[in-house]
Amino acid sequence: MRYDEAKRKLRGSIAPIVTPFKQDYSMDLDKLKELIDWHVESGSHAISVTGTTGEPSSLTAAERITVMETAAKAVNGRVPFVPGTGSTNHDETVDLTKKAQEMGADAALVIVPYYNKPSQHALYKHFKTVADSVDIPLIVYNIPGRTATNLDVKTLARLSEDCPNIIGVKESNKDFEHINRVLLNCGRDFNLYSGIELLCYPMLAIGGAGHISATANVMPEKVAEIYNAWEEGDVKRAQDLHFELMPLNDVLFKDTNPAPLKAALGMMGKIEPVLRMPMDLPTEALQSEIREVLKTYTNVADQVVSK
């Protein structure tokens, strides 16, 4: 996929799928395939795995590759496939991104390295080296709340100019002024994706390309419809969906993602509600709150088990 074509194709709701585990903490690849089928049938515009929502730091590098390969085969070209290949380790990031290219991924999502707290100069060198190692499109992933480092707009603009395969950024950044300056400095044809649930609709209004929203795991059709409504010019419908989903967005982030999300999917019978340590499920009180919020949505209420 050439880069201009990728910018046009990689739009809408790119659903960041959880990594299902069994009760013994082994990966449940059959459930992963089922989730991907459900998302494609529900209208998600693209599929991503092994991003933050996929608990990549709880997976070995070999397990990440297995999840990516399983997902690529399950997607089978029905929609674009965008695995997360970033790591706190530079060489591992390069290797995983090369593996994504080998398995035919449409793009790779590469997170700002976490824990290390690299300088802006170091971030530029890291991302440029990754970009130079492959010729598939890359989407940079900026999530300062999880990485402790914010990718500066000027650094991103320099990368977008020097690396033609860096086609966009997932901004999980609550600073909306920063987000506006991304398009100002990188160009309005640069693909901007929201990673903040309450900014999915507002980002479309300034020219965003879509969203990579954890909430899509629970309501893939409605998260995708926000983008569809906007593209069709139905602003009121997009606004209505934005506010309709707000209670769900709020409760799914009362604990660290994907803990509430996996609890919700367990209540819906989609997966076993299991996370690998050091992550764990939310408290019983929060799980009860999640259950009650889910019951207010008619499209999932009948799936929710009482306990």
Side-chain angles (χ1 to χ4, degrees):
M1 187 190 301
R2 288 300 85 197
Y3 307 135
D4 287 342
E5 179 189 355
K7 287 181 178 181
R8 293 190 295 270
K9 188 175 180 181
L10 294 170
R11 302 182 69 84
S13 174
I14 302 176
I17 309 296
V18 299
T19 302
F21 298 125
K22 300 177 182 178
Q23 289 294 339
D24 64 359
Y25 301 104
S26 63
M27 297 183 299
D28 193 337
L29 299 178
D30 288 335
K31 284 293 182 186
L32 177 63
K33 295 173 190 175
E34 290 175 10
L35 289 175
I36 288 170
D37 286 342
W38 178 50
H39 273 272
V40 173
E41 293 162 4
S42 299
S44 292
H45 301 100
I47 298 294
S48 181
V49 295
T50 59
T52 303
T53 302
E55 295 172 79
S57 59
S58 296
L59 302 173
T60 66
E63 285 177 325
R64 288 185 68 169
I65 292 169
T66 298
V67 171
M68 289 161 60
E69 290 175 339
T70 301
K73 291 175 182 176
V75 172
N76 194 28
R78 291 178 290 173
V79 296
F81 174 52
V82 187
T85 59
S87 166
T88 193
N89 181 288
H90 173 77
D91 289 342
E92 184 176 275
T93 299
V94 171
D95 182 59
L96 288 170
T97 307
K98 287 179 177 179
K99 293 289 186 185
Q101 177 170 299
E102 290 170 11
M103 65 184 66
D106 296 282
L109 181 68
V110 186
I111 194 169
V112 168
Y114 38 92
Y115 182 76
N116 295 323
K117 298 184 72 174
S119 67
Q120 294 300 310
H121 168 74
L123 285 172
Y124 173 85
K125 187 175 180 181
H126 167 73
F127 281 112
K128 187 171 190 311
T129 303
V130 176
D132 288 347
S133 73
V134 295
D135 61 8
I136 60 170
L138 300 183
I139 299 169
V140 173
Y141 180 10
N142 188 31
I143 179 169
R146 297 288 283 252
T147 65
T149 303
N150 185 44
L151 182 65
D152 190 83
V153 169
K154 291 182 179 179
T155 306
L156 182 60
R158 186 180 170 202
L159 284 165
S160 69
E161 182 176 348
D162 294 348
C163 307
N165 57 332
I166 293 182
I167 66 163
V169 62
K170 175 185 177 182
E171 280 287 354
S172 294
N173 192 326
K174 293 184 178 181
D175 182 349
F176 201 58
E177 289 189 13
H178 169 100
I179 290 165
N180 277 267
R181 295 187 188 283
V182 167
L183 291 182
L184 178 67
N185 286 270
C186 297
R188 290 171 62 184
D189 64 340
F190 194 67
N191 280 27
L192 172 67
Y193 305 93
S194 176
I196 298 290
E197 277 59 31
L198 294 188
L199 295 182
C200 289
Y201 168 71
M203 279 204 202
L204 293 174
I206 64 167
H211 29 266
I212 306 175
S213 166
T215 303
N217 280 272
V218 176
M219 299 232 186
E221 70 290 343
K222 288 188 179 290
V223 174
E225 193 180 347
I226 293 174
Y227 178 82
N228 293 339
W230 177 261
E231 280 295 289
E232 292 164 6
D234 192 345
V235 175
K236 184 178 185 305
R237 178 61 179 154
Q239 291 173 338
D240 288 346
L241 286 161
H242 168 75
F243 287 105
E244 179 185 343
L245 288 172
M246 194 175 291
L248 180 62
N249 290 330
D250 287 346
V251 79
L252 289 179
F253 285 87
K254 287 193 172 183
D255 195 353
T256 303
N257 180 50
L261 189 57
K262 281 197 158 181
L265 288 169
M267 294 170 196
M268 295 167 61
K270 296 291 185 184
I271 63 168
E272 290 289 333
V274 177
L275 296 94
R276 284 181 175 175
M277 290 187 282
M279 300 288 286
D280 199 5
L281 288 171
T283 64
E284 287 294 330
L286 181 52
Q287 289 189 54
S288 178
E289 186 177 351
I290 292 166
R291 184 177 287 107
E292 293 308 307
V293 171
L294 287 174
K295 288 179 180 179
T296 66
Y297 293 91
T298 56
N299 58 320
V300 298
D302 59 348
Q303 303 175 44
V304 179
V305 295
S306 58
K307 284 289 182 184

